């Protein structure tokens, strides 16, 4: 748990410097294309040319709900200004992993994370890290659009207000965020109207505007299109491609075409019965460039899943 008396100053990590630890030999700043194991790195099986610069790194991350280990020893890195897709059959732990990346799991009683998740080399679960600051820098968009029962304007202004963001002109922040979410032209004449009057796709873009209003560096998206029709889905996918110029995105999706269309890298998870009690524990099977995962996966389980033979 955090100690609000001694929060680590995460703001010292400049958002426009994706990797302030680059060159620091004491900090692991490299990310990998395949699942990273010390053996693989030592054996040179990971091509350094293909390594992204990591903004988030997971090392041996397991997540428990009470005594149940939902996800076992995930090691992967999230490349800056990339879209990383987490795919796999239901229950393999995609959302669990996603929520652990910004400590959203803290809000579920009994959840425990072991291993290390680092943001710019800093352990986000360290005792003195403020989870609120973690969630400001690593924002989240949920499956179902969930605007507040407020006006369009107030939905976007809410985050900057409650986080005490210093801003000389809130109107500018609202406009910039709505433009960033490709929604401005559709709502500029009705900013004071209820967000509930928007279509589902517009509401989801409003939620994206609300997320970017507090100027995060990373956006986590948990099946952001599953409640939307194909046209609204296409708009969100176009928006993601725009957003990745300024943000790093991690998306959970059941839609493999979507992963293939938008993601630079894809992580395939599965859940297998653990020895002993038979609990199905999720784990990372393969993490690679999306083109490789979909054309020449390294593991039969990935191939079976993407070809529809399983899952
Ligand atoms: N709040 C919770 N409390 C207890 N167990 C949970 C909780 N949330 C998820 N689980 C369990 O953890 C495992 C992983 O669930 P999770 O939702 O992360 O998987 P997922 O791959 O995202 O699934 P889906 O694709 O169906 O959304 C499952 O066995 C699930 O039942």
């Amino acid at each position: 748990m955090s100690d609000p008396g001694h929060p680590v100053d995460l703001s010292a990590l400049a958002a426009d410097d994706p990797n302030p630890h680059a060159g620091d030999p004491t900090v692991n700043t490299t990310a990998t294309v395949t699942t990273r194991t010390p053996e693989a790195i030592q054996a040179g099986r990971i091509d350094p040319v293909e390594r992204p610069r990591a903004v988030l790194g997971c090392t041996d991350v397991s997540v428990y709900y009470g005594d149940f280990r939902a996800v076992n020893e995930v090691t992967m890195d999230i490349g800056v200004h990339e879209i990383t897709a987490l795919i796999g059959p239901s229950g393999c732990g995609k959302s669990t992993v996603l929520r652990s990346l910004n400590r959203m799991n803290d809000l579920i009683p009994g959840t425990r994370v072991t291993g290390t998740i680092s943001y710019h080399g800093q352990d986000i679960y360290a005792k003195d890290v403020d989870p609120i600051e973690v969630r400001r820098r690593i924002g989240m968009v949920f499956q179902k659009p969930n605007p507040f029962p407020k006006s369009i304007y107030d939905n976007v202004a809410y985050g900057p207000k409650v986080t005490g963001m210093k801003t000389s002109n809130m109107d500018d922040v609202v406009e910039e965020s709505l433009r960033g979410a490709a929604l401005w032209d559709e709502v500029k004449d009705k900013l004071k109207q209820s967000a509930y009057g928007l279509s589902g796709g517009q509401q989801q873009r409003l939620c994206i505007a609300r997320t970017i209003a507090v100027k995060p560096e990373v956006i986590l998206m948990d099946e952001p299109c599953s409640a939307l029709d194909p046209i609204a889905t296409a708009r969100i996918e176009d928006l993601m491609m725009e957003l990745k110029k300024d943000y790093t995105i991690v998306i959970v999706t059941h839609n493999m075409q979507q992963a293939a269309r938008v993601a630079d890298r894809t992580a395939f998870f599965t859940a297998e019965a653990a020895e002993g009690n038979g609990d199905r524990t999720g784990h990372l099977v393969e993490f690679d460039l999306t083109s490789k995962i979909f054309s020449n996966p390294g593991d039969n389980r990935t191939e079976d899943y993407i070809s529809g033979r399983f899952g």
Side-chain angles (χ1 to χ4, degrees):
M1 294 297 287
S2 70
D3 174 1
H6 300 90
V8 161
D9 184 11
L10 276 167
S11 62
L13 300 166
D16 57 358
D17 177 359
N19 196 342
H21 296 287
D24 179 349
T26 64
V27 176
N28 173 19
T29 59
T30 56
T32 55
V33 174
T34 55
T35 303
R36 176 158 54 93
T37 62
E39 295 76 28
I41 293 168
Q42 268 173 10
R45 289 203 300 273
I46 293 162
D47 179 358
V49 175
E50 292 188 331
R51 292 179 197 175
R53 288 209 302 166
V55 58
L56 277 166
C58 303
T59 307
D60 296 333
V61 171
S62 299
V63 186
Y64 296 78
Y65 296 107
D67 292 334
F68 170 56
R69 183 168 57 185
V71 181
N72 190 31
E73 294 186 351
V74 171
T75 295
M76 63 184 286
D77 292 324
I78 306 297
V80 69
H81 292 300
E82 289 192 348
I83 299 176
T84 300
L86 312 185
I87 65 167
S90 207
C92 67
K94 305 177 294 293
S95 298
T96 296
V97 169
L98 192 77
R99 287 193 298 260
S100 68
L101 296 178
N102 74 342
R103 295 191 55 169
M104 211 53 124
N105 274 342
D106 289 15
L107 307 176
I108 303 172
T111 308
R112 187 162 57 89
V113 176
T114 61
T116 308
I117 300 181
S118 57
Y119 170 68
H120 292 297
Q122 183 165 5
D123 181 356
I124 64 167
Y125 285 86
K127 204 164 141 265
D128 48 359
V129 166
D130 178 358
I132 310 269
E133 180 60 14
V134 170
R135 288 180 211 126
R136 191 193 68 68
R137 289 178 164 261
I138 307 169
M140 194 154 207
V141 174
F142 297 90
Q143 184 169 3
K144 223 170 139 248
N146 59 348
F148 302 134
K150 293 174 181 287
S151 70
I152 294 165
Y153 184 102
D154 287 342
N155 261 274
V156 182
Y158 182 84
K161 273 187 196 152
V162 298
T163 56
M165 213 170 96
K166 289 190 188 71
T167 162
S168 53
N169 189 337
M170 188 61 82
D171 290 355
D172 290 346
V173 173
V174 170
E175 178 174 343
E176 193 187 321
S177 306
L178 287 167
R179 282 191 188 282
L183 188 59
W184 174 251
D185 288 342
E186 291 158 65
V187 301
K188 62 178 185 236
D189 299 323
K190 50 180 178 183
L191 293 174
K192 294 295 171 192
Q193 290 180 21
S194 168
Y196 288 169
L198 298 174
S199 71
Q202 288 173 323
Q203 288 188 10
Q204 194 61 303
R205 279 180 281 138
L206 178 64
C207 293
I208 292 171
R210 193 174 65 186
T211 301
I212 62 181
V214 294
K215 305 206 178 307
E217 183 182 359
V218 182
I219 306 175
L220 310 178
M221 297 184 168
D222 197 351
E223 297 188 54
C225 302
S226 64
L228 307 181
D229 67 26
I231 293 171
T233 296
R235 293 208 65 168
I236 300 279
E237 289 182 8
D238 288 347
L239 175 57
M240 288 172 69
M241 301 305 281
E242 274 303 305
L243 288 171
K244 80 168 187 171
K245 295 174 189 159
D246 296 315
Y247 306 91
T248 295
I249 297 174
V250 187
I251 178 176
V252 166
T253 180
H254 272 282
N255 180 336
M256 280 183 282
Q257 284 81 12
Q258 180 167 72
R261 278 192 297 265
V262 302
D264 298 285
R265 287 171 210 269
T266 296
F268 170 66
F269 291 79
T270 194
E272 284 164 2
E275 275 179 35
N277 61 10
D279 278 347
R280 288 174 63 79
T281 298
H283 65 99
L284 176 61
V285 172
E286 189 170 353
F287 177 43
D288 213 322
L289 293 168
T290 299
S291 52
K292 170 110 176 11
I293 290 278
F294 283 93
S295 63
N296 185 22
D299 192 290
N300 288 340
R301 290 166 296 180
T302 315
E303 185 158 11
D304 286 349
Y305 184 74
I306 60 165
S307 60
R309 280 197 288 273
F310 138 79

